[in-house]
Amino acid sequence: MPSAREAAEVLLWIKEPVNFLKLKESFESTTSFGKLIEASPTVAGRNVYIRLRCFSGDAMGMNMISKGSLAVIDCLKVQFPNLLLIALSGNLCTDKKAAAINWIEGRGKSVVIEATIPMDIVRTTLKTSVPAIVETNVNKNLIGSAMASVVGGFNAHAANNVTAVFLATGQDPAQNVESSNCITLMEETTEGDLWISCTMPSIEVGTVGGGTGLPAQSACLKAIGAKGGGINPGDNARQLAHVVAAATIAGELSLMAALASNSLVSAHMAHNRKPASK
């Protein structure tokens, strides 16, 4: 905008419920499935950044939302003729970048997954103890990550599992950045078993469009019951987000057990090396 005052006027206009309905009508005129749920403006000097929260059915929705966002700008230009669009994406989204706003407000699908592992399984299968793995999780994933001042990285290796599922199901692997936001928590229950959870606020997935139509990726989506559009729009995308979280919690449990028992290096040497040449 020409001045900071006019930028503030845009912000105040957007926040009026009756005006949001105008933006919503403009956005939804461009799409059959997309819905504009919220518009949150932020001002920095003469700049106005608008973070749009949308529903995109079973699509990840970047193209759908981009088209609708242009319609929102056109609507604003009618009200504010001096408005100049610098870039459709102002990085407040925030896509493919580590950002506290995605960690706090979420982006895509937000999932919390939990499991209780009996102490006998922890001892016989994971080769460690419940107190040991809980202590390792606190000191590594919580305190260690805090010392590193991470954003959304309070986990052992969520990105490995997220990327594996993304590649297998035709997702955009670059969106691993925000989709791997995860905090892994572990506690010993009153019965002595292990309780574990992974909280993932920004998993970006879709089951239609993009790479989801490729033969191998389509077969993987079919295998997990999430191929194409769901009976209710959004059901299959939510199912896929649950699968991403399930793979992540399994990977967290495996690596943390290896670290707690100090068997990580020996396991890699035994199972992740080519046989010696004769």
Side-chain angles (χ1 to χ4, degrees):
M1 298 299 293
S3 68
R5 180 184 181 87
E6 289 168 286
E9 289 173 353
V10 174
L11 179 146
L12 294 173
W13 187 90
I14 292 172
K15 286 189 172 183
E16 287 293 331
V18 67
N19 295 331
F20 169 73
L21 291 178
K22 295 178 181 178
L23 300 181
K24 180 178 175 68
E25 182 181 4
S26 296
F27 181 98
E28 294 176 9
S29 70
T30 68
T31 171
S32 299
F33 290 100
K35 304 294 181 186
L36 181 60
I37 300 170
E38 183 181 22
S40 301
T42 299
V43 166
R46 297 190 295 117
N47 294 348
V48 184
Y49 300 86
I50 310 170
R51 182 175 165 96
L52 302 180
R53 185 161 67 92
C54 314
F55 174 76
S56 58
D58 285 301
M60 191 276 139
M62 288 296 290
N63 292 333
M64 179 192 304
I65 293 168
S66 295
K67 186 167 63 171
S69 298
L70 275 176
V72 166
I73 297 301
D74 289 339
C75 179
L76 285 171
K77 284 182 175 180
V78 172
Q79 305 297 325
F80 302 95
N82 289 331
L83 184 150
L84 175 64
L85 176 64
I86 301 298
L88 186 60
S89 172
N91 270 9
L92 197 66
C93 334
T94 295
D95 188 44
K96 301 182 178 75
K97 289 165 280 293
I101 196 167
N102 290 338
W103 177 242
I104 296 167
E105 294 190 2
R107 177 175 166 85
K109 306 293 184 288
S110 297
V111 179
V112 181
I113 190 168
E114 64 179 346
T116 300
I117 315 300
M119 68 174 83
D120 290 343
I121 298 298
V122 175
R123 184 179 68 254
T124 59
T125 302
L126 299 179
K127 302 297 191 291
T128 185
S129 68
V130 174
I133 196 171
V134 169
E135 181 183 24
T136 303
N137 188 70
V138 169
N139 286 283
K140 170 184 170 61
N141 287 342
L142 304 185
I143 299 175
S145 296
M147 293 299 292
S149 296
V150 301
V151 175
F154 295 89
N155 59 79
H157 67 149
N160 277 335
N161 302 284
V162 171
T163 303
V165 178
F166 271 31
L167 292 174
T169 59
Q171 308 307 302
D172 185 342
Q175 289 178 327
N176 155 349
V177 177
E178 60 268 42
S179 297
S180 297
N181 280 341
C182 172
I183 181 168
T184 300
L185 299 176
M186 296 185 188
E187 299 175 12
E188 184 175 3
T189 69
T190 54
E191 294 80 15
D193 298 326
L194 173 66
W195 176 84
I196 177 174
S197 76
C198 288
T199 300
M200 307 178 71
S202 49
I203 302 175
E204 296 185 76
V205 291
T207 58
V208 297
T212 63
L214 296 172
Q217 285 70 19
S218 179
C220 285
L221 287 170
K222 183 178 180 180
I224 62 175
K227 180 181 176 181
I231 296 176
N232 299 307
D235 282 355
N236 282 357
R238 282 188 287 270
Q239 169 68 5
L240 178 53
H242 292 157
V243 170
V244 172
T248 300
I249 198 172
E252 291 291 280
L253 188 62
S254 177
L255 179 53
M256 292 308 297
L259 290 169
S261 63
N262 195 26
S263 61
L264 178 65
V265 174
S266 60
H268 271 91
M269 296 306 294
H271 303 294
N272 199 30
R273 291 291 182 272
K274 293 180 180 179
S277 301
K278 294 183 179 180

